[in-house]
């Protein structure tokens, strides 16, 4: 029998303070029975003597002090898992919402998981071909990596994430894969876009969806990514699958966290976000990777919208400090009609060096990408100069670099939403573009590669 | 044993009542899982405890037991090649016993109790010994001889000394002191928050050669010095730290992954056993100790991790070794401090950091230094401390960066603008500095090349001039520059691309000896000096740039260390080609 209390003392925003409680544990799951009989979930944020501070995952409207009942479950928040979660849709707290049968659990897993022992990790080294040149060519994704998309309001991050999910595959490999999708605070339409997308490609059979929409309880979002990653860990490390996890939109997750922090009157860090935001995000993002001797893996693509397109805002900033690189979308490219509008210069894949090269992609991949980066950087710099001083102020060379950077955006970065380029195609476009430049400027690529890959092209 | 009880749990902070005889910084065990924690505040009969493990499931009424001892590390043979968490639990052993995830309440000693080490005595019965004297040695790894020292507080006559194979718990010597016989083992314990003792501190002199050109030639750090590497995410802090851990001419490296990525530690773990130390020719791992408390591991243990690391570093220093201690990233340590302080409801200072942030940081870096060790032989050892700093938004005015800059002597400022252009290491050469430069220049003069310092200064001058000239170009255009100025721009570009840029992932480029750094710099500056002379003769700058030899200069960084004489030939070529054009013109 669960211990039940009617001793609510205060309700402040999403927080409930209870007194006279015996035996409550930190982070314990509770059931909150509303005066109307409905039941929501919550968990223990702090206990002091007989006082317990709870956060309610359900909106607290309708709660009152006199008739709210709280029951302590004696365990943490768990997700029941079995192979049957594939193809199912859950709410942000892991309850089925697709009218499907109940999950008969293989086991119940605490959604907070445990940190992977760094000694148990295996380094991600398998190149994932996404078919998108701006990613594969310059900022390649590697199996087991956490690579977020930094976006902004109105930018096509959903289309890009969906394209990655649709096209991603490891070269020469036929292995069991799955997609875990967690929506946090996004609109019905955005979520529906993904669901339709998964349906139309039949990927839905291999997908697990956790959906918390904009009008769902905000605090529930705190649990949603953890639900998703618990499912992912089960699929990857118990069932040996390669799992791609899409978390969208981490900004709303962080806002929920801020709401709790503000209600607790904690000393805020930057812009009102709690000082422990870094650590909190790390407990999500670090749940990606590979484990020695395990056959499955977890690759994470969190999506977040940068408030005001500001990369230094705490959410993208702290994310970038934890993840293994970032794909940044550019409003400027988007305005100019370039899809995908990936701003390649500030984008980065930290695992690039380990995932590409001879035997993995091609010997010229790394030097070619460095050359493209530096040439594009120089072209953009020259273009800015031209804006101030006029075209005439540019040297002959600089003009070529400007020409290069324009062609680069048009042919290398730009591609179709359903265009799936092989890595060879991507590299070939890169080499072809370099022909615009004087050969003496191609300092970052080897002469033999120039001869082999640039001169020999048709 | 009598126990206290938990009255409050708030994240990593637990408050306990009625602990018998609690002392500040005593280690305690909390709850039925006996989670490790440390007392950080005492008020009346209440003790606030920071717990090094996840506290979910703890609640009022749970038992708290005090060990009566401060958080300490075990010091002795077996530290090298180990990987520990922030409170010295061996992660390899934990994986073998408990699986792939770090579970709670695990108690594993830092040093193996089973492993036997070959002890060779260095003293005989009847010898008078005191703290720091070497009782004997153990070949800890192929490259490092572990020196077993008389512990602090023990002084007297050796009454027994052994030879042979022993575990760290076996007695290898007995010292007869005025207070009685003291058995000595190969293992010592030392509280991590207390600096280890030495005889005398000295100012750093010799450079810690890192093999990184911009560091060694432009902003060198000394053995026993302190340095910080601030930079926004992705600017190259970790890659630079790893490069230094790989190539520095330290004898021991202690690398603390403090609140950063798990994969980065894996990277080190997989790579170091494969890489060869350029000085010893043996795998790098043989001189390395890793502390890994990644971002998702408990924050309180993260707070402790830098102290665990530096205590181990000091211990090897005390044996007379030059040790490099690297912490990536100290900002995560500071954030752990902030989180605990917040839970204690302390009055926050700037940006929520506790008011004592500055003193704690200073105290940490003060533990670096070059010292005369305890012991009659007055051997010398050093700890060089290099900390990454991760300023939010890359803004250096934030509290952790500022507090760090007040204490460290070397500043390598990383800039995202350079990183975006894939100019690595992305150290900004205009605002970075080293306060050890004078001392290091003396060393260059003595040990490398008398003209090194002068060459460096000239090159630095050109880089600074470039920045000014870039302004002019930006406002008026390239035509506004004189021929002399155009040459400066050309040389500066060569300095940036052919000297400063160094690819950490290219086997041939990753490490450059001081001698080669000098030759490479001299090559570039030879071009500059000779071209400047030609300009004075009235030749136009167009004739002096785009020479074929410039492509060879660009590739000179790949010249193998064993073939430095090739630089002679290149310098000749520079002269020939600059003059060659001249004769063409005359003809
Ligand atoms: N010296 C270098 N040579 C080549 N690439 C580098 C170098 N330094 C940094 N990089 C690149 O920059 C990326 C980010 O570096 P990292 O050290 O992880 O940054 P930080 O620790 O500052 O976030 C690396 O993954 C690598 O691609
Ligand atoms: Mg880093
Ligand atoms: Mg240039």
């Amino acid at each position: 029998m669960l211990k039940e209390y009617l001793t609510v003392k205060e309700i402040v925003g999403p927080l409930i303070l209870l007194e006279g409680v015996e035996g409550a544990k930190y982070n314990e799951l509770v059931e909150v029975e509303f005066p109307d009989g409905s039941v929501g979930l919550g968990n223990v944020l702090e206990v002091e003597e007989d006082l317990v501070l709870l956060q309610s995952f359900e909106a607290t409207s309708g709660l009152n002090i006199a008739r709210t009942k709280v029951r302590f479950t004696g365990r943490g928040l768990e997700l029941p898992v079995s192979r049957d979660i594939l193809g199912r849709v859950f709410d942000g707290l892991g309850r089925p919402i697709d009218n499907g049968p109940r999950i008969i659990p293989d086991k119940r897993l605490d959604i907070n998981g445990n940190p992977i022992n760094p000694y148990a990790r295996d380094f991600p080294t398998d190149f994932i071909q996404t078919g998108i040149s701006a990613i594969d060519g310059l900022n390649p994704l590697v199996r087991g990596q956490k690579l977020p998309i930094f976006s902004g309001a109105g930018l096509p991050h959903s289309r890009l994430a969906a394209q990655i999910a649709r096209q991603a595959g490891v070269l020469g490999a036929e292995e069991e894969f799955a997609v875990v999708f967690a929506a946090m605070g996004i609109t019905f339409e955005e979520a529906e876009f993904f669901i339709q997308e998964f349906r139309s490609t039949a990927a839905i059979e291999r997908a697990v969806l956790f959906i918390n929409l904009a009008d769902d309880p905000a605090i529930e979002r705190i649990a949603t990514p953890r639900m998703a990653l618990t499912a992912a860990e089960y699929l990857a490390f118990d069932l040996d699958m390669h799992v791609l996890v899409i978390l969208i939109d981490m900004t709303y997750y962080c806002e929920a966290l801020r709401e709790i922090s503000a209600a607790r009157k904690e000393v805020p860090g930057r812009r009102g976000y709690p000082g422990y935001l870094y650590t909190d995000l790390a407990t999500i993002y670090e749940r990606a990777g590979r484990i020695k001797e395990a056959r499955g893996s977890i690759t994470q693509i969190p999506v977040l919208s940068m408030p005001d397109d500001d990369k230094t805002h705490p959410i993208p900033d702290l994310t970038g400090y934890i993840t293994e690189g970032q794909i940044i979308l550019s409003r400027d490219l988007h305005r100019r009609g370039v899809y995908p509008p990936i701003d390649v210069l500030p984008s980065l894949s930290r695992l690039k060096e380990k995932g590409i090269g001879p035997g993995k992609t091609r010997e010229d991949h790394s030097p070619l990408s460095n050359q493209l980066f530096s040439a594009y950087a120089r072209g953009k710099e020259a273009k800015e100069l031209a804006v101030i001083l006029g075209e005439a102020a540019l040297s002959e060379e600089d003009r070529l670099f400007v020409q290069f950077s324009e062609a680069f955006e048009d042919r290398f970065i730009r591609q179709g939403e359903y265009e799936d380029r092989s890595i060879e195609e991507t590299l070939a476009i890169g080499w072809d573009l370099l022909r615009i430049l004087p050969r003496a400027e191609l300092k970052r690529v080897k002469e033999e590669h120039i001869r082999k890959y640039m001169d020999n092209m048709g | 044993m009598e126990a206290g009880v938990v009255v409050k749990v708030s994240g990593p902070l637990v408050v306990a009542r009625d602990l018998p005889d609690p002392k500040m910084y005593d280690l305690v065990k909390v709850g039925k899982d006996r989670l490790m924690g440390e007392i950080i505040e005492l008020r009346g009969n209440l003790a606030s405890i920071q717990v090094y493990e996840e506290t979910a499931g703890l609640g009022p009424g749970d038992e708290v037991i005090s060990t009566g001892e401060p958080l300490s590390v075990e010091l002795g043979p077996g530290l090298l090649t180990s990987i520990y968490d922030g409170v010295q639990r061996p992660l390899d052993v934990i994986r073998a016993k408990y699986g792939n995830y770090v579970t709670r309440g695990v108690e594993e000693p830092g040093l193996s109790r089973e492993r036997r080490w070959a002890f060779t005595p260095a003293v005989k019965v009847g010898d008078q010994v005191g703290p720091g004297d070497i009782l004997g040695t153990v070949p800890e790894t192929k490259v490092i001889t572990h020196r077993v020292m008389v512990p602090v507080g023990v002084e007297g006559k050796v009454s027994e000394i052994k030879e042979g194979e022993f575990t760290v718990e076996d007695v290898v010597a007995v010292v007869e002191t005025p207070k009685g016989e003291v058995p000595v083992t190969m293992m010592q314990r030392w509280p991590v928050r207390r600096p280890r003792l030495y005889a005398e501190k000295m100012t750093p002199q010799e450079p810690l050669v890192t093999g990184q050109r911009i560091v060694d030639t432009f902003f060198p750090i000394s053995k026993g010095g302190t340095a910080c590497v601030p930079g926004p995410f992705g600017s190259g802090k970790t890659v630079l730290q790893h490069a230094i851990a790989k190539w520095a001419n330290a004898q021991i490296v202690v690398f603390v992954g403090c609140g950063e990525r798990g994969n980065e530690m894996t990277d080190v773990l997989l790579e170091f056993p494969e890489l060869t130390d350029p000085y010893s020719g043996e795998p790098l791992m043989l001189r390395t100790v890793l502390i890994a408390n990644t971002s998702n591991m408990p924050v309180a243990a993260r707070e402790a991790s830098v102290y665990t690391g530096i205590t181990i570093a000091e211990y090897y220093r005390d044996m007379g070794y030059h040790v490099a201690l690297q912490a990536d990233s100290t900002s995560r340590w500071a954030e752990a401090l902030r989180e605990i302080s917040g839970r204690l409801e302390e009055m926050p200072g700037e940006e929520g950091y506790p008011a004592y942030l500055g003193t704690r940081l200073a105290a940490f870096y003060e533990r670096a230094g070059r010292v005369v060790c305890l012991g009659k032989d007055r051997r010398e050892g050093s700890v060089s401390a290099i900390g990454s700093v991760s300023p939010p938004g890359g803004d250096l005015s934030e509290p952790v960066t500022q507090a760090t800059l007040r204490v460290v002597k070397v500043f390598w400022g990383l800039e995202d603008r350079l990183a975006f252009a894939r100019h690595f290491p992305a150290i900004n050469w205009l605002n970075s500095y080293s306060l050890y430069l004078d001392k290091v220049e003396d060393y260059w003069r003595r040990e490398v090349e008398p003209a090194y310092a002068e060459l460096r200064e000239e090159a630095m001058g050109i880089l600074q001039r470039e920045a000014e000239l870039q302004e002019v170009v930006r406002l008026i255009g390239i035509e506004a520059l004189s021929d002399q100025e155009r040459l400066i721009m050309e040389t500066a570009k060569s300095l940036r691309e052919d000297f400063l840029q160094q690819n950490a992932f290219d086997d041939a480029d990753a490490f450059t000896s001081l001698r080669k750094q000098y030759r490479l710099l001299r090559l570039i500056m030879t071009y500059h000096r000779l071209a400047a002379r030609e300009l004075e003769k009235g030749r136009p700058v167009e004739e002096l740039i785009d020479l074929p030899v410039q492509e060879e200069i660009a590739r000179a960084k790949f010249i193998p260390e064993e073939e430095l004489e090739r630089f002679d030939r290149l310098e000749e070529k520079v002269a020939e080609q600059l003059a060659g054009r001249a004769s063409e013109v005359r003809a």
Side-chain angles (χ1 to χ4, degrees):
Chain A
M1 185 53 205
L2 303 182
K3 276 187 251 174
E4 186 174 281
Y5 293 90
L6 261 159
T7 49
V8 172
K9 198 170 165 222
E10 287 174 21
I11 303 171
V12 180
L15 302 182
I16 303 171
L17 186 68
L18 212 63
E19 61 186 351
V21 180
E22 238 176 74
K25 304 294 183 195
Y26 175 66
N27 219 355
E28 181 174 353
L29 180 71
V30 297
E31 292 175 5
V32 180
E33 190 178 321
F34 284 59
D36 68 2
S38 63
V39 175
L41 297 176
N43 73 338
V44 175
L45 289 180
E46 189 172 312
V47 285
E48 179 162 15
E49 310 269 7
D50 68 336
L51 286 180
V52 175
L53 184 69
L54 305 172
Q55 70 182 356
S56 166
F57 292 125
E58 211 65 50
T60 49
S61 55
L63 278 188
N64 70 7
I65 289 190
R67 283 168 44 222
T68 299
K69 292 181 193 152
V70 177
R71 287 186 288 273
F72 287 77
T73 65
R75 56 188 170 85
L77 189 49
E78 293 169 334
L79 178 71
V81 290
S82 81
R83 187 174 260 278
D84 299 335
I85 58 175
L86 284 170
R88 300 295 305 273
V89 186
F90 302 91
D91 74 358
L93 283 175
R95 298 170 293 208
I97 49 171
D98 55 0
N99 302 318
R102 247 192 54 193
I103 300 289
I104 316 244
D106 202 14
K107 48 178 153 177
R108 298 175 169 277
L109 298 172
D110 188 306
I111 64 158
N112 291 307
N114 273 316
I116 298 179
N117 183 332
Y119 190 77
R121 282 183 185 269
D122 205 358
F123 205 81
T125 51
D126 300 332
F127 170 76
I128 297 179
Q129 179 175 293
T130 67
I132 298 163
S133 295
I135 296 177
D136 295 352
L138 300 174
N139 298 296
L141 177 65
V142 179
R143 194 178 254 173
Q145 184 170 18
K146 37 193 183 290
L147 188 65
I149 298 173
F150 289 6
S151 184
L155 295 180
H157 46 260
S158 294
R159 285 159 60 199
L160 179 61
Q163 187 175 6
I164 294 173
R166 193 166 58 231
Q167 299 181 172
V170 167
L171 295 178
E174 248 351 294
E175 287 152 322
E176 230 190 335
F177 73 95
V179 175
V180 174
F181 176 81
M184 291 155 284
I186 62 174
T187 60
F188 170 78
E189 273 171 56
E190 250 180 310
E192 201 50 28
F193 164 82
F194 279 99
I195 295 174
Q196 282 315 324
E197 171 69 34
F198 293 142
R199 285 231 167 85
S200 67
T201 57
I204 193 93
E205 314 288 308
R206 312 228 38 99
V208 188
L209 284 68
F210 294 87
I211 309 284
N212 166 284
L213 296 181
D215 58 353
D216 287 330
I219 305 309
E220 184 180 290
R221 274 164 220 164
I222 291 177
T224 308
R226 297 184 164 86
M227 290 281 164
L229 287 160
T230 303
E233 280 167 358
Y234 173 73
L235 296 174
F237 302 126
D238 281 23
L239 303 185
D240 292 339
M241 296 180 193
H242 292 292
V243 186
L244 179 70
V245 181
I246 297 174
L247 306 171
I248 177 172
D249 179 323
M250 288 304 292
T251 298
Y252 298 116
Y253 167 85
C254 295
E255 283 173 1
L257 210 62
R258 177 170 67 175
E259 193 179 328
I260 296 287
S261 176
R264 295 182 72 180
K265 301 199 170 55
E266 290 173 336
V267 180
R270 285 200 312 148
R271 305 224 196 165
Y273 290 91
Y276 48 80
L277 182 59
Y278 173 84
T279 302
D280 188 278
L281 285 173
T283 59
I284 294 174
Y285 297 142
E286 277 287 322
R287 291 172 80 174
R290 302 199 322 170
I291 290 182
K292 284 182 207 157
E293 290 121 41
R295 276 194 283 148
S297 64
I298 299 177
T299 307
Q300 254 190 52
I301 305 202
V303 178
L304 59 87
S305 38
M306 297 181 280
D308 209 17
D309 291 352
D310 177 9
K311 189 162 69 79
T312 67
H313 183 282
I315 298 171
D317 188 54
L318 295 177
T319 297
Y321 270 122
I322 302 164
T323 53
E324 285 141 351
Q326 66 278 339
I327 301 294
I328 301 190
L329 301 192
S330 146
R331 197 164 294 281
D332 174 52
L333 283 175
H334 181 62
R335 256 192 223 116
R336 288 191 277 126
V338 177
Y339 174 89
I342 296 176
D343 196 353
V344 297
L345 294 181
S347 294
L348 169 72
S349 167
R350 294 171 194 256
L351 304 184
K352 165 179 152 186
E353 298 296 335
K354 296 270 158 65
I356 65 175
K360 291 176 181 149
T361 54
R362 224 170 65 184
E363 52 178 355
D364 56 323
H365 192 163
S366 174
L368 173 64
S369 70
N370 287 333
Q371 184 65 65
L372 292 170
F373 269 125
S374 75
Y376 181 54
R378 172 140 174 219
K380 280 188 73 161
E381 207 178 297
K383 209 165 156 184
E384 275 166 35
L385 205 66
V387 171
I388 307 170
L389 299 169
E391 285 274 337
L394 295 185
S395 66
E396 187 53 40
E397 238 173 48
D398 279 345
R399 245 169 273 165
L400 289 175
F401 275 94
V402 171
Q403 194 192 330
F404 168 87
S405 70
E406 284 167 354
F408 177 82
E409 288 172 2
D410 192 49
R411 293 181 43 211
F412 192 91
I413 298 181
R414 185 202 298 277
Q415 71 182 82
E417 201 173 334
Y418 287 86
E419 185 182 351
D420 190 356
R421 291 184 188 157
S422 71
I423 184 64
E424 285 77 21
E425 285 172 86
T426 291
L427 298 177
I429 299 171
W431 281 111
D432 194 36
L433 288 166
L434 288 182
R435 294 188 204 213
I436 296 171
L437 301 174
R439 209 175 168 112
E441 287 291 332
L442 306 183
K443 279 199 201 166
R444 304 216 181 191
V445 280
K446 292 197 184 129
E447 189 52 43
E448 52 175 290
H449 292 163
I450 297 184
R451 264 183 264 122
K452 188 160 162 193
Y453 297 108
M454 194 167 94
D455 297 347
N456 285 343
M457 281 173 65
Chain B
M1 197 186 308
E2 260 186 279
V5 290
V6 170
V7 295
K8 174 178 175 176
V9 185
S10 170
L13 182 80
V14 166
V15 179
R17 184 171 41 218
D18 296 335
L19 259 181
D21 188 28
K23 297 189 298 295
M24 281 295 276
Y25 297 111
D26 270 0
L27 196 67
V28 299
K29 302 285 165 82
V30 183
K32 66 172 184 339
D33 285 336
R34 294 171 58 81
L35 307 181
M36 268 172 96
E38 188 183 19
I39 298 176
I40 54 172
E41 192 177 87
L42 291 169
R43 286 173 195 271
N45 63 346
L46 295 181
S48 297
I49 295 161
Q50 62 173 354
V51 179
Y52 300 133
E53 304 180 63
E54 173 55 48
T55 53
L58 283 183
D62 283 340
E63 188 180 71
V64 181
I65 300 166
S66 177
T67 65
E69 303 235 332
L71 174 67
S72 302
V73 284
E74 295 184 348
L75 302 169
L79 290 167
L80 293 174
T81 74
S82 291
I83 175 164
Y84 296 115
D85 77 354
V87 289
Q88 211 203 5
R89 282 181 295 205
L91 290 169
D92 48 350
V93 177
I94 288 177
R95 177 176 188 238
K97 284 200 183 168
Y98 304 90
N100 292 326
Y101 296 89
V102 180
T103 38
R104 303 192 300 162
V106 168
E107 262 180 278
E108 281 299 325
L111 296 179
S112 160
R113 296 297 189 262
E114 286 88 50
R115 182 146 178 203
R116 302 177 81 83
W117 299 94
F119 177 80
T120 309
V123 294
K124 37 185 208 314
V125 171
D127 284 356
Q128 184 71 29
V129 293
D133 283 339
I134 293 163
L135 288 172
T137 58
V138 171
E140 185 177 358
T141 68
K142 216 163 159 188
V143 293
I144 296 296
T145 300
H146 197 101
R147 298 175 183 142
V148 178
M149 298 170 283
V150 177
V152 169
V154 178
E155 184 134 34
K157 233 191 217 119
V158 177
S159 62
E160 205 183 325
I161 183 85
K162 296 191 180 160
E163 173 156 19
E165 305 243 319
F166 302 99
T167 71
V168 292
E169 287 179 313
D170 293 335
V171 173
V172 292
V174 178
V175 180
E176 207 180 297
T177 72
K179 283 176 262 162
E181 299 224 308
V182 179
V184 180
T185 65
M186 288 187 273
M187 174 172 69
Q188 308 187 0
R189 295 179 63 78
W190 191 268
V192 298
R193 295 182 193 280
R194 193 181 321 146
R196 282 179 60 86
L197 308 179
Y198 49 81
E200 203 180 305
K201 208 158 199 172
M202 298 179 295
T203 43
Q205 301 281 351
E206 273 187 29
L208 179 77
V209 180
T210 66
Q212 309 305 299
R213 295 187 289 268
I214 184 166
V215 169
D216 293 342
T217 294
F218 286 95
F219 311 107
I221 174 172
S222 296
K223 285 181 180 158
T226 51
C228 70
V229 196
F233 63 82
S235 58
K237 299 178 291 296
T238 304
V239 172
L240 181 64
Q241 289 271 29
H242 283 191
I244 293 174
K246 286 174 193 167
W247 311 123
N249 65 348
Q251 291 159 299
I252 305 281
V253 171
V254 180
F255 195 98
V256 187
C258 175
E260 293 278 314
R261 303 177 184 83
N263 276 333
E264 291 174 346
M265 298 314 293
T266 309
D267 192 19
V268 175
L269 272 170
L270 296 179
E271 214 180 6
F272 276 35
E274 305 293 319
L275 288 173
T276 307
D277 178 351
Y279 299 96
S280 71
E282 295 293 332
L284 280 170
M285 201 61 203
L286 298 183
R287 62 161 195 185
T288 308
V289 184
L290 296 175
I291 315 282
N293 213 94
T294 56
S295 54
N296 54 336
M297 287 161 79
V299 289
R302 187 200 297 172
E303 196 274 330
S305 66
V306 300
Y307 296 105
T308 296
I310 203 153
T311 306
I312 293 173
E314 286 173 335
Y315 176 63
Y316 281 96
R317 170 204 71 189
D318 293 345
M319 292 181 211
Y321 289 117
H322 294 291
V323 185
L325 178 277
Q326 303 180 258
D328 185 18
S329 158
T330 59
S331 294
R332 306 304 166 215
W333 166 82
E335 283 164 12
L337 205 64
R338 172 170 70 183
E339 176 164 353
I340 307 287
S341 161
R343 306 249 182 201
L344 286 173
E345 291 168 20
E346 291 176 337
M347 180 67 93
E350 233 181 313
E351 289 188 23
Y353 286 102
Y356 47 79
L357 171 69
T359 23
R360 292 275 171 94
L361 262 172
F364 168 72
Y365 280 107
E366 246 339 89
R367 291 176 69 171
R370 175 175 160 243
V371 306
V372 174
C373 309
L374 292 182
K376 279 194 271 303
D377 60 359
R378 291 187 61 82
R379 59 191 180 270
E380 197 184 305
S382 69
V383 172
S384 314
I386 304 173
S388 309
V389 185
S390 314
D395 171 13
L396 299 187
S397 68
E398 60 92 35
V400 183
T401 314
Q402 286 305 310
T404 304
L405 286 176
R406 278 199 292 274
V407 290
V408 302
K409 301 286 192 294
V410 180
F411 167 67
W412 299 316
L414 299 185
E415 214 164 76
D416 51 4
R417 221 158 45 90
L418 291 171
F420 294 164
R422 273 38 178 192
H423 171 115
F424 291 116
I427 298 176
N428 181 333
W429 51 91
L430 296 176
N431 68 3
S432 296
Y433 60 80
S434 164
L435 300 183
Y436 300 117
L437 192 58
D438 287 349
K439 294 274 163 47
V440 169
E441 282 178 352
D442 290 341
Y443 174 89
W444 288 344
R445 245 170 242 129
R446 282 196 324 271
E447 308 286 334
V448 191
E449 192 65 49
Y452 203 153
E454 193 190 321
L455 198 66
R456 175 205 179 270
E457 200 177 312
E458 195 181 339
M460 196 65 217
I462 286 175
L463 289 168
Q464 281 162 348
R465 280 288 286 151
E466 181 199 32
E468 298 160 21
L469 295 174
Q470 270 172 346
E471 265 319 290
V472 176
V473 173
R474 216 161 280 143
L475 294 172
I476 318 180
I478 190 93
E479 300 78 47
L481 300 188
S482 69
D483 278 5
Q484 276 76 10
E485 290 167 336
R486 296 259 317 265
L487 176 64
I488 286 176
M489 296 290 276
E490 189 69 17
T491 306
K493 178 177 168 182
S494 174
L495 284 170
R496 283 191 282 112
E497 295 177 357
D498 309 333
F499 189 87
L500 298 182
Q501 284 185 16
Q502 186 168 4
N503 187 348
F505 303 109
D506 184 304
D507 293 339
D509 198 20
F511 168 84
T512 309
S513 69
L514 273 190
R515 163 105 343 230
K516 181 172 152 191
Q517 294 187 28
Y518 169 74
R519 292 305 309 256
L520 184 56
L521 190 62
R522 195 176 87 182
L523 174 65
I524 296 167
M525 296 309 295
T526 299
Y527 163 82
H528 180 77
R529 287 168 181 172
L530 295 181
R533 216 177 288 159
E534 295 297 320
L535 279 184
E536 271 169 30
K537 290 187 197 153
R539 293 180 51 205
V541 73
E542 286 78 9
E543 287 179 11
L544 305 172
I545 59 181
D546 293 332
L547 301 179
V549 74
Q550 282 176 294
E551 269 187 44
E552 290 187 69
I553 295 178
R555 279 197 302 274
K557 57 169 84 153
F558 302 111
I559 291 178
E561 293 285 346
E562 312 78 57
E563 298 172 27
L564 296 189
E565 67 284 350
R566 280 168 59 187
F567 280 96
D568 296 335
R569 176 70 196 114
L570 271 179
E571 286 182 357
E572 284 164 24
K573 260 197 185 167
V574 168
E576 281 164 20
Q577 290 192 12
L578 282 168
R581 286 284 181 99
S583 44
E584 257 169 56
V585 174
R586 256 179 260 120

